[in-house]
Amino acid sequence: MELGPVDRITADAIGEPGMRTFYLQARAGQELLTVIVEKEQVELLARSVVELLAGNPLETALVDVDDDVQTLEEPVDPRFRAGRLSIGYDEDEDRFLLEIDEFVPDLEDDDPRSTIVGEPDSVSLWASREQMLALARHGEAVVGRGRPRCQFCGNPMDPEGHVCPATNGHRTPRT
């Protein structure tokens, strides 16, 4: 599916930290696309946008990342779960290309589910530097609202702590 140039693009999460579902959402005219993504995909997408912008000689206007503007639009009805996100910058057109491929589980040929799985869905869209910078900044903020990370292993911690693999489970770091 080719969504074309988008009017808006955002990433957000629904639910409590530790139980959140992350979404990437874009609107192009009347078409609203929502896909489920992993938190790590939001982090990597934000980092990739910033890296691509840093290597661009053009100045990108700073945008005010207002939570009300960047929230998900209703209905939040995901089309699919994202597997691979690919991002690039077209210097001639001065815009970003984002390609989102549906997640496809690795199934053996004799797995009965392999006949159910059809062709994976794929979406490509175009967004401006300012739209992608707003997405990156808001995405980083959304990810940052999650559970704190352990200082030893980097894994997320619940309020009561966690069994830390870096300490071979002998200590339970607390937040």
Side-chain angles (χ1 to χ4, degrees):
M1 168 184 185
E2 173 72 35
L3 198 57
V6 297
D7 301 319
R8 80 185 289 271
I9 184 166
T10 191
D12 212 337
I14 297 175
E16 294 298 315
M19 302 297 292
R20 297 187 295 172
T21 301
F22 287 80
Y23 299 93
L24 185 64
Q25 190 178 70
R27 172 170 290 289
Q30 296 299 315
E31 186 78 29
L32 180 64
L33 170 76
T34 305
V35 296
I36 298 172
V37 292
E38 297 295 325
K39 177 174 83 171
E40 291 77 12
Q41 288 175 306
V42 174
E43 285 180 303
L44 184 58
L45 179 59
R47 192 171 32 241
S48 298
V49 167
V50 170
E51 287 174 5
L52 285 168
L53 286 172
N56 186 317
L58 299 174
E59 187 171 325
T60 302
L62 285 179
V63 288
D64 185 26
V65 182
D66 182 0
D67 280 343
D68 292 336
V69 174
Q70 293 290 355
T71 58
L72 298 171
E73 287 184 48
E74 295 290 338
V76 178
D77 185 19
R79 183 177 178 124
F80 57 81
R81 176 177 294 277
R84 184 176 59 94
L85 301 178
S86 302
I87 188 169
Y89 178 71
D90 183 335
E91 290 183 21
D92 295 335
E93 296 292 325
D94 187 26
R95 59 186 182 170
F96 279 87
L97 171 64
L98 179 61
E99 295 176 325
I100 308 163
D101 294 330
E102 182 177 13
F103 173 75
V104 179
D106 290 329
L107 299 174
E108 299 296 323
D109 290 337
D110 60 348
D111 189 316
R113 295 175 295 172
S114 65
T115 60
I116 298 171
V117 178
E119 287 297 311
D121 207 349
S122 180
V123 176
S124 60
L125 58 90
W126 293 93
S128 71
R129 285 180 284 120
E130 289 78 14
Q131 287 172 319
M132 292 304 284
L133 179 58
L135 167 70
R137 292 178 63 203
H138 184 70
E140 288 173 344
V142 169
V143 167
R145 292 184 201 133
R147 295 177 289 172
R149 297 216 177 250
C150 174
Q151 63 182 340
F152 303 111
C153 69
N155 289 334
M157 296 191 313
D158 293 319
E160 57 275 353
H162 75 281
V163 177
C164 180
T167 63
N168 291 327
H170 297 292
R171 284 184 27 199
T172 304
R174 304 258 182 231
T175 56

